[in-house]
């Protein structure tokens, strides 16, 4: 059984559209790949050291998407705002997970519905497929 969600009328304004979710997912997975390779833990045989949900939480606290890819947040998030970016990212993923394989796969990875080594395998395959990060100036 997969985690899905519905938004109340007051929550609708915070739900991200599928295109933004895809872009954020790609940026998080690119960063996760670089982080995992730097730690030497990213192969199909060795599970990632940091779970993807925790990594995404840290990434979303520090970065956002600009017009040309990830950018540092101008203002650091204060303690009461820490969980908001991940909450809305996760809630939006749960709502849009059936809008294509990419969002469904990211939801499965974030909600830990796949085996532990799935993240390592997926980011390694993406890196090989795109010959490096997917989000970059081309």
């Amino acid at each position: 059984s997969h985690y899905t969600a519905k938004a109340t009328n007051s929550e609708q304004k915070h739900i991200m559209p599928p295109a933004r979710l895809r872009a954020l997912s790609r940026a998080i997975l690119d960063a996760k790949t670089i982080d995992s390779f730097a730690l030497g833990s990213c192969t199909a045989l060795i599970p990632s050291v940091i779970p993807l949900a925790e990594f995404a939480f840290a990434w979303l606290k520090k970065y956002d998407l600009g017009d040309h890819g990830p950018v540092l947040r101008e203002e650091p998030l204060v303690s009461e705002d820490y969980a908001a970016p991940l909450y809305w990212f996760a809630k939006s993923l749960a709502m849009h997970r059936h809008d294509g394989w990419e969002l469904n796969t990211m939801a499965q990875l974030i909600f830990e519905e796949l085996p532990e080594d799935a993240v390592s395998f997926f980011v390694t395959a993406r890196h090989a497929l795109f010959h490096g990060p997917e989000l970059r100036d081309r």
Side-chain angles (χ1 to χ4, degrees):
S1 66
H2 299 296
Y3 176 73
T4 58
K6 293 183 179 181
T8 64
N9 288 339
S10 64
E11 293 176 329
Q12 283 296 334
K13 67 181 179 179
H14 297 289
I15 300 300
M16 298 174 201
R20 179 160 174 77
L21 279 174
R22 282 186 193 91
L24 277 171
S25 296
R26 292 169 184 171
I28 291 167
L29 290 170
D30 283 348
K32 179 66 172 160
T33 303
I34 293 165
D35 183 69
S36 296
F37 281 153
L39 293 173
S41 67
C42 194
T43 71
L45 301 176
I46 303 172
S48 178
V49 175
I50 302 168
L52 185 60
E54 290 177 31
F55 184 87
F57 176 67
W59 192 94
L60 290 164
K61 281 184 359 183
K62 189 172 183 177
Y63 298 98
D64 199 357
L65 284 180
D67 292 338
H68 302 289
V71 294
L72 281 170
R73 290 185 180 277
E74 290 183 24
E75 296 288 324
L77 296 174
V78 293
S79 61
E80 61 268 10
D81 294 334
Y82 276 171
L86 182 61
Y87 175 81
W88 292 115
F89 177 72
K91 180 107 176 176
S92 300
L93 264 179
M95 290 191 62
H96 292 296
R97 72 181 304 157
H98 301 293
D99 290 345
W101 69 269
E102 190 173 10
L103 294 179
N104 188 51
T105 301
M106 188 63 170
Q108 289 175 320
L109 294 171
I110 288 287
F111 301 136
E112 299 178 349
E113 296 170 354
L114 297 173
E116 186 177 322
D117 61 351
V119 171
S120 295
F121 176 80
F122 191 72
V123 297
T124 301
R126 284 180 81 255
H127 186 80
L129 179 68
F130 296 117
H131 302 287
E134 182 178 4
L135 297 183
R136 58 182 171 201
D137 293 335
R138 295 179 191 237

